[in-house]
């Protein structure tokens, strides 16, 4: 009887450890994706600011055209 209880506890502990490991990996991936987005936005801002004679009207036109 004790062997069965020990076996069930071991399986429950294994399931919990797998769940906890998967949860920590998911958080890591989300953080990496956020950093990637920030890098992409920084590159786009640099491209926009490098254009000559860029004023508010031109920025609005680019935004509406979907280029920003």
């Amino acid at each position: 009887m004790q062997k069965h209880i020990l076996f069930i506890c071991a399986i429950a502990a294994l399931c919990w450890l797998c769940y906890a490991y998967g949860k920590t990996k998911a958080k890591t991936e989300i953080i990496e994706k956020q950093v990637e987005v920030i890098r992409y936005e920084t590159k786009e801002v640099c491209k926009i600011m490098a254009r000559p004679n860029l004023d508010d009207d031109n920025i609005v036109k680019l935004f509406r055209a979907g280029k920003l």
Side-chain angles (χ1 to χ4, degrees):
M1 183 68 175
Q2 289 178 350
K3 290 181 182 179
H4 294 288
I5 294 173
L6 183 62
F7 182 71
I8 292 171
C9 289
I11 290 177
L14 180 64
C15 290
W16 182 79
L17 287 172
C18 290
Y19 171 76
Y21 179 72
K23 191 174 178 181
T24 57
K25 288 296 257 183
K27 287 181 181 177
T28 303
E29 290 175 8
I30 290 170
I31 291 171
E32 289 173 359
K33 288 180 182 178
Q34 287 175 350
V35 171
E36 241 176 67
V37 169
I38 291 170
R39 288 181 185 162
Y40 175 75
E41 287 178 355
T42 305
K43 288 180 183 178
E44 291 299 316
V45 168
C46 290
K47 289 178 185 177
I48 292 169
M49 297 305 286
R51 294 181 182 178
N53 301 326
L54 191 65
D55 59 356
D56 291 338
D57 293 333
N58 290 335
I59 292 174
V60 171
K61 287 179 185 176
L62 290 173
F63 183 72
R64 289 184 180 160
K67 294 182 180 180
L68 292 182

